[in-house]
Amino acid sequence: MSSAPSAAAPLRHRTVISDADLRSLPDDLQVDGDLELQNCPRLEGLPTGLRVSGDLVIRGCARLRDLPTTMHVGGALKILGRTRLSVFPAGLQIGGDIVLHRAVSSISPGLQTHGNLAILRCPELARLPDGLSIGGDLILRRTGLKMLPSGLNVRGGSELRFAQIASIPAD
């Protein structure tokens, strides 16, 4: 007896770039699927017009200084490990979660995400921008935050671990 084939989710293509000498990527780079940049210590920025239909994972890119506001990521954006990215810009188009692990010291006003926002081990991050809108959960672990911003909108839950939050706004 044969059974009908099950409708499995299609596999996404995954591109991994690991190059200690990589300094830049081509402008208007488009990746159909996931892109992982790992151990690219000389990479200082991502190209304008970067489009990734799946997840973008950046790991071990210590000189990364900026993200173009024209970047579009269909899935999650994960920046893992120390970078020189002082400000996480608003206006990025991210379809999934945003995970920042040891990655930033500030977040621009106007940041919105449809998924979760996880900020992990960013002790230099002293404040979140007013009016921050999160479509999923807010996860804060080991940050320098002392208070939550006014106008914070979290549609999911909140997880605060090893947080020093002393003040929550009335709104």
Side-chain angles (χ1 to χ4, degrees):
M1 175 195 232
S2 69
S3 62
S6 64
L11 297 175
R12 284 203 305 219
H13 177 72
R14 181 173 170 237
T15 301
V16 177
I17 298 174
S18 180
D19 185 346
D21 294 324
L22 181 70
R23 295 178 186 268
S24 66
L25 295 167
D27 282 341
D28 297 318
L29 176 65
Q30 296 188 22
V31 176
D32 184 20
D34 299 337
L35 174 61
E36 185 168 337
L37 300 169
Q38 62 183 15
N39 302 321
C40 301
R42 294 185 179 184
L43 183 65
E44 293 187 7
L46 298 180
T48 58
L50 175 64
R51 296 183 67 80
V52 178
S53 67
D55 296 343
L56 174 58
V57 179
I58 301 168
R59 174 184 290 127
C61 299
R63 287 191 186 170
L64 183 68
R65 293 183 186 278
D66 59 20
L67 299 174
T69 56
T70 56
M71 181 173 77
H72 181 274
V73 178
L77 171 62
K78 299 176 182 179
I79 303 176
L80 310 172
R82 296 213 181 270
T83 67
R84 292 188 182 167
L85 185 66
S86 60
V87 177
F88 188 82
L92 298 175
Q93 296 180 33
I94 310 298
D97 299 340
I98 298 174
V99 178
L100 304 172
H101 178 263
R102 294 186 165 184
V104 297
S105 56
S106 137
I107 295 177
S108 293
L111 178 66
Q112 297 182 12
T113 178
H114 300 288
N116 300 326
L117 175 61
I119 303 172
L120 315 169
R121 293 184 180 251
C122 293
E124 298 86 17
L125 183 64
R127 68 180 316 258
L128 293 173
D130 291 340
L132 178 63
S133 179
I134 302 166
D137 296 342
L138 172 63
I139 302 163
L140 301 172
R141 294 184 193 149
R142 298 183 191 258
T143 68
L145 297 172
K146 303 277 188 246
M147 61 184 289
L148 294 177
S150 65
L152 176 65
N153 183 2
V154 179
R155 291 182 188 88
S158 297
E159 177 186 323
L160 308 174
R161 286 194 184 177
F162 302 105
Q164 309 275 332
I165 304 294
S167 173
I168 297 175
D171 63 351

